Amino acid sequence: MGAAEISRTGAVRDTGRDTLVDGLRGFAIAAMLVAHGAPLLGKLPSVPGAAFDALNDVASPLFALVMGMAGLIVLKRGDTAVSFVSVKAVQGLLLIVAGLLLMSLHTWVGVVLPQLGLVLILGAPLLLIPVRWLGWAAGLAFLAGPVIVMITGLLVPATWVTQPESGPQLLQWLVTGRQYRLTSLLPFFLLGAFLYSTRALYQPRQSRVLLWCGFALTLAWYPAASFARSSGAGFLVTSGGYLDLVRDLGLVALVTGVACVAAGAGRKQVHGLARLPIKILAGPGKLALSLYAAHVLVLLPISYAMVAQPPTIRALTFVVFVVGLLLAGWLWARFLGKGPLEALMTWVGGLVRKLTGKTVAHAA
């Protein structure tokens, strides 16, 4: 089945784009804008600081989850295996190049595009396996990721783990990165494809199960992390460890479950106001890549200005940064359509398809 939208009657209808997927992507970019704009506010109290940390933690795995969904949407529209893998490999390389360019600006943003590019390159071939194996592949990736991180930490020089920037760049992207790494993002890519292939996101019971599982995992993480630290097993809580992955999984499941329930998956009577946030976020979600690049470019002069003169109205600066970019994204999607980087990705994908004997253009 192609891209779909949940209608007012709860039915899923083909529209060329999936509003729920775009809405989740829009939430991810909104969360990243809030997290990366947080330094504008200075030091935060513990409660809002924890909320900002949660938004920062959920953004990148949610991006990977949606990438898996979008990849399966494209694949189900009729790409051959060679065409699909070739397109995603080239698009993944473009993400890596874009990430390197943004990293060269030296803002305070930890750029995630290279890692997502590797996820796309290495994960796309896995989407070709039968649907019944996708769930097992996602589960194996969740179990293996922290083990790979731990074993790598034992095999490489200690400084490459404590100071990842001192080690090879590719190794950082794959395993040792302080914030983002392939081993932590690939499971969510596969999970997204699995959820979309089973249509679980569009069924009321599965949506509620997802929501409550996310809530339970998120709630259980705090005492588990506290116990791990006090018992000397703090390595489980470190970035890339099992508890870190559980926290990410809980947050992603919670956000996705809330979005599905709010969108009225499979239900006949859902108030329009409940769907409104999803519809609004779907606008910037359609050009999340362009907004991601734009927010780094906007932060470049701000970061230099803050060194010389911190903003006197921090809250206003933060609100203008976040709301302004989201509004610009919504207006662009509403009146101009695709963002510039999305248009580039589509054009390159079309070119690769022609070279591989597939001429159908795709918009996911």
Side-chain angles (χ1 to χ4, degrees), residues 78 232 289:
L289 179 57

Side-chain angles (χ1 to χ4, degrees), residues 14-355:
D14 190 14
T15 61
R17 291 203 69 97
D18 190 311
T19 301
L20 181 60
V21 173
D22 282 335
L24 286 171
R25 192 188 287 114
F27 182 90
I29 191 63
M32 197 157 280
L33 289 176
V34 171
H36 291 167
L40 294 170
L41 298 173
K43 185 173 177 58
L44 295 171
S46 58
V47 173
F52 276 62
D53 287 343
L55 286 172
N56 183 61
D57 291 342
V58 76
S60 55
L62 188 57
F63 269 130
L65 187 90
V66 175
M67 282 176 59
M69 296 177 186
L72 202 66
I73 290 172
V74 171
L75 186 59
K76 285 181 176 291
R77 289 181 188 171
D79 266 0
T80 64
V82 172
S83 176
F84 175 74
V85 172
S86 300
V87 168
K88 293 308 173 186
V90 173
Q91 290 178 339
L93 289 173
L94 287 177
L95 286 179
I96 293 174
V97 171
L100 289 171
L101 291 174
L102 294 176
M103 289 168 61
S104 69
L105 299 179
H106 301 294
T107 63
W108 61 64
V109 174
V111 178
V112 70
L113 294 186
Q115 291 88 336
L116 290 177
L118 287 176
V119 167
L120 199 57
I121 293 170
L122 300 177
L126 296 177
L127 300 189
L128 300 173
I129 64 178
V131 169
R132 64 181 179 274
W133 293 107
L134 263 179
W136 290 105
L140 180 62
F142 274 108
L143 291 174
V147 174
I148 294 172
V149 170
M150 182 176 64
I151 292 175
T152 303
L154 297 174
L155 296 178
V156 302
T159 54
W160 290 8
V161 178
T162 58
Q163 300 175 350
E165 61 278 1
S166 65
Q169 184 77 78
L170 182 59
L171 187 64
Q172 296 176 46
W173 294 345
L174 292 172
V175 186
T176 62
R178 192 185 302 275
Q179 294 175 299
Y180 313 118
R181 65 202 67 79
L182 173 78
T183 53
S184 299
L185 295 174
L186 182 60
F188 289 96
F189 178 85
L190 298 174
L191 178 62
F194 175 73
L195 289 175
Y196 194 88
S197 68
T198 59
R199 311 305 294 167
L201 300 178
Y202 303 97
Q203 304 299 324
R205 181 177 298 176
Q206 287 91 326
S207 297
R208 289 195 294 270
V209 168
L210 191 64
L211 189 158
W212 286 112
C213 285
F215 180 77
L217 285 174
T218 303
L219 194 63
W221 180 85
Y222 291 95
S226 178
F227 176 78
R229 292 189 183 101
S230 63
S231 63
F235 66 91
L236 293 174
V237 191
T238 57
S239 186
Y242 275 115
L243 284 179
D244 180 60
L245 204 57
V246 166
R247 174 176 163 84
D248 288 349
L249 181 60
L251 290 170
V252 168
L254 181 61
V255 169
T256 305
V258 168
C260 292
V261 171
R267 291 182 292 155
K268 294 183 178 180
Q269 299 297 328
V270 178
H271 196 281
L273 288 177
R275 290 193 180 95
L276 188 59
I278 302 298
K279 291 183 176 180
I280 292 175
L281 287 171
K286 292 175 184 176
L287 55 150
L289 179 57
S290 296
L291 280 179
Y292 186 92
H295 99 284
V296 178
L297 295 176
V298 170
L299 284 176
L300 179 61
I302 293 177
S303 60
Y304 283 114
M306 284 185 66
V307 174
Q309 180 67 43
T312 55
I313 312 178
R314 289 179 175 270
L316 179 60
T317 306
F318 171 79
V319 170
V320 170
F321 169 73
V322 175
V323 177
L325 281 172
L326 289 176
L327 180 60
W330 186 87
L331 290 172
W332 186 295
R334 176 69 177 81
F335 296 106
L336 298 176
K338 289 182 182 178
L341 292 183
E342 286 74 16
L344 174 64
M345 286 286 197
T346 300
W347 179 81
V348 169
L351 182 61
V352 174
R353 286 186 181 94
K354 288 181 181 179
L355 295 174

